[in-house]
Amino acid sequence: MGWGTDSEIAAYEAMIAQFEEAYPDVEVEYIVVADNEFDTKLQTMIGAGECPDVFYCNIDKMMKYAATGNLYDLTEYVENNEIFSPDNVWSCLNDLYRYDGETQGQGSIYALPKDVSAFPIFYNVDLFEAAGVTPPTAEDPWDWNDFLEAAKKLTTGEGDNKIYGTGAYSLESAVWSNGAEWLDPTLTEVKITDPAFTEALQWCADLSLVHGVAPTPAESSALSDYDRFKQGKLAMVGAGTWSLADFWENCDFEWNVMNWPVSPNTGESAIWFGSAGLAVSSTTKAPEAACNLAAYLAFNEDAQRTAYQMGQAIPMLKDMATGEFAEMDKYPADKQVLFDMLENNARLATQSRTFNQEWFNEFNSNTAAVFNGEMSAQEYCASINDTVQQLLDESIEQKAEYANS
């Protein structure tokens, strides 16, 4: 059971057909559920004793499902099968779905990665050339000031003909590259009032509020940054590599990718990477077939080739990614940017490392006040800090309760 866009569904139908050909004694029923209904549906099926043998496992939910005994421990299967070489898989994935009852990233393996997604800045090459903007390179990266100057040059027109230089800037990239974090290294203390954090948040908001190079929140509600980019009305947008198939089909202009700028304060760049897992139910009546299916979809060369050729994901096998995927005659031209991000800049989102995400949801609950100019970033973070800390404390307590139950 999984979720996904039409292109993802088509890719997984093809990959499952390949698995059934490789394992002719196994028949797979593929269930698709809307992503915003998936967790509720899965919990209902678990409660009814009808859990799918293999299912997508959101990294944010992995610890909870493992702690409640709903995930099959894949450690022995992985150790006894040559399903992948750790040296040939992006290092950010190797321990991602481990959990020892205390820390995500350590202990037993409870899922295999179904994909890895880089989150670069996609840019409209035609608009860059028209504005005389030269994109950054790995050797000569932009900092925030360079990004802003480029966005100003790329912002043109009025009304329906308005073209904005950029969409919303990744707050994770701004915060992390500025040397700040949501939580301290022990994941027990909220750090959102750190001046480096509030500076990053304010800088993101000021792209629209002060500089007018990004759509206002109201404009983005009426037409998303993503769709605005596809229509040629936005020069730069942050998006995941799951967008490749959509952009191939629906962008009638040349586009490419770049890394996120470095902070002028640190000279560092950072961004999150995305992944969902393929978990096996602890109650499956066919553990070997279920494990084989998860492993096939995650690491089989034929399946990985199908996934990237259909624009679903970057191969998780590095030699395939840097080889045939890199040489594929489709945008983006600078695929090396994606590899550099995964190897050097990609970080797991902070909230994915905590037992639940209610503290993070609370932080996000009214950041619109900053982006609409009703509060400064400093005022907002100070106003919500204690509530976020309380929810984080409750998350820590909940993890301890599950561990002891």
Side-chain angles (χ1 to χ4, degrees):
M1 187 167 79
W3 65 77
T5 61
D6 290 345
S7 60
E8 176 166 348
I9 293 167
Y12 274 82
E13 285 175 340
M15 293 157 68
I16 288 169
Q18 289 173 301
F19 170 82
E20 290 179 323
E21 186 173 340
Y23 294 85
D25 57 332
V26 181
E27 182 180 348
V28 180
E29 178 188 358
Y30 179 32
I31 305 167
V32 180
V33 179
D35 57 354
N36 61 345
E37 300 173 0
F38 187 88
D39 193 53
T40 300
K41 175 70 171 177
L42 181 59
Q43 291 187 53
T44 300
M45 295 177 77
I46 290 172
E50 299 173 350
C51 184
D53 296 283
V54 180
F55 52 90
Y56 285 12
C57 182
N58 187 317
I59 184 62
D60 291 355
K61 309 290 186 183
M62 186 270 291
M63 287 188 279
K64 185 175 293 185
Y65 281 120
T68 51
N70 288 299
L71 304 184
Y72 185 87
D73 187 338
L74 295 163
T75 310
E76 185 175 341
Y77 176 85
V78 171
E79 290 174 349
N80 293 333
N81 290 270
E82 295 180 359
I83 59 173
F84 70 99
S85 166
D87 294 337
N88 194 32
V89 175
W90 303 109
S91 57
C92 58
L93 295 175
N94 276 329
D95 297 321
L96 187 60
Y97 294 96
R98 290 183 180 270
Y99 185 51
D100 62 2
E102 178 63 31
T103 303
Q104 176 274 331
Q106 299 180 16
S108 297
I109 300 170
Y110 286 104
L112 300 176
K114 86 172 184 71
D115 56 21
V116 63
S117 300
F119 193 81
I121 296 174
F122 287 78
Y123 67 93
N124 185 318
V125 174
D126 297 349
L127 292 178
F128 267 54
E129 292 179 350
V133 173
T134 302
T137 63
E139 297 72 28
D140 186 22
W142 281 353
D143 67 15
W144 293 357
N145 297 317
D146 298 321
F147 179 89
L148 177 58
E149 287 306 307
K152 288 178 178 178
K153 292 178 182 178
L154 291 160
T155 302
T156 61
E158 300 290 340
D160 292 341
N161 295 319
K162 178 89 171 187
I163 295 175
Y164 280 104
T166 180
Y169 197 91
S170 165
L171 182 57
E172 288 87 354
S173 179
V175 166
W176 290 337
S177 67
N178 211 34
E181 245 295 5
W182 273 259
L183 308 179
D184 77 325
T186 67
L187 305 178
T188 61
E189 183 182 353
V190 174
K191 305 292 289 184
I192 60 175
T193 58
D194 177 354
F197 187 102
T198 57
E199 179 188 31
L201 174 56
Q202 192 65 58
W203 187 81
C204 292
D206 285 350
L207 289 173
S208 174
L209 278 177
V210 175
H211 305 295
V213 298
T216 66
E219 288 173 318
S220 292
S221 294
L223 179 65
S224 71
D225 293 348
Y226 184 87
D227 288 333
R228 197 180 294 267
F229 178 79
K230 289 197 294 182
Q231 293 179 15
K233 295 181 177 180
L234 192 72
M236 297 183 283
V237 67
T241 44
W242 58 81
S243 306
L244 291 176
D246 192 15
F247 287 172
W248 288 343
E249 185 174 347
N250 294 306
C251 292
D252 60 359
F253 52 83
E254 183 179 351
W255 51 268
N256 207 343
V257 291
M258 67 172 78
N259 203 344
W260 292 84
V262 303
S263 162
N265 298 319
T266 67
E268 299 293 328
S269 174
I271 188 61
W272 59 275
F273 73 94
S275 176
L278 289 161
V280 173
S281 170
S282 60
T283 60
T284 179
K285 294 182 174 63
E288 182 178 1
C291 290
N292 287 342
L293 175 60
Y296 188 94
L297 295 175
F299 296 116
N300 178 269
E301 284 191 14
D302 291 336
Q304 287 289 291
R305 185 170 293 111
T306 295
Y308 88 71
Q309 288 179 345
M310 297 183 73
Q312 178 52 40
I314 302 170
M316 288 187 287
L317 306 174
K318 288 198 290 187
D319 59 356
M320 180 179 287
T322 58
E324 57 189 82
F325 172 76
E327 296 163 5
M328 180 174 58
D329 188 23
K330 284 189 175 184
Y331 299 144
D334 294 327
K335 296 183 182 69
Q336 184 63 42
V337 168
L338 307 176
F339 311 148
D340 290 344
M341 293 176 74
L342 290 175
E343 287 288 88
N344 303 311
N345 307 118
R347 295 177 55 174
L348 181 62
T350 307
Q351 68 273 16
S352 298
R353 299 165 59 211
T354 60
F355 198 73
N356 69 46
Q357 291 70 49
E358 292 177 15
W359 66 270
F360 187 72
N361 296 338
E362 180 66 21
F363 169 81
N364 286 325
S365 64
N366 197 27
T367 52
V370 180
F371 286 87
N372 285 323
E374 299 161 13
M375 303 174 75
S376 70
Q378 185 176 10
E379 291 168 338
Y380 176 71
C381 290
S383 73
I384 203 168
N385 183 81
D386 290 350
T387 304
V388 175
Q389 181 66 57
Q390 180 181 346
L391 289 170
L392 177 65
D393 292 343
E394 292 174 5
S395 172
I396 295 168
E397 292 171 5
Q398 185 183 49
K399 180 169 69 173
E401 291 172 3
Y402 274 74
N404 295 326
S405 61

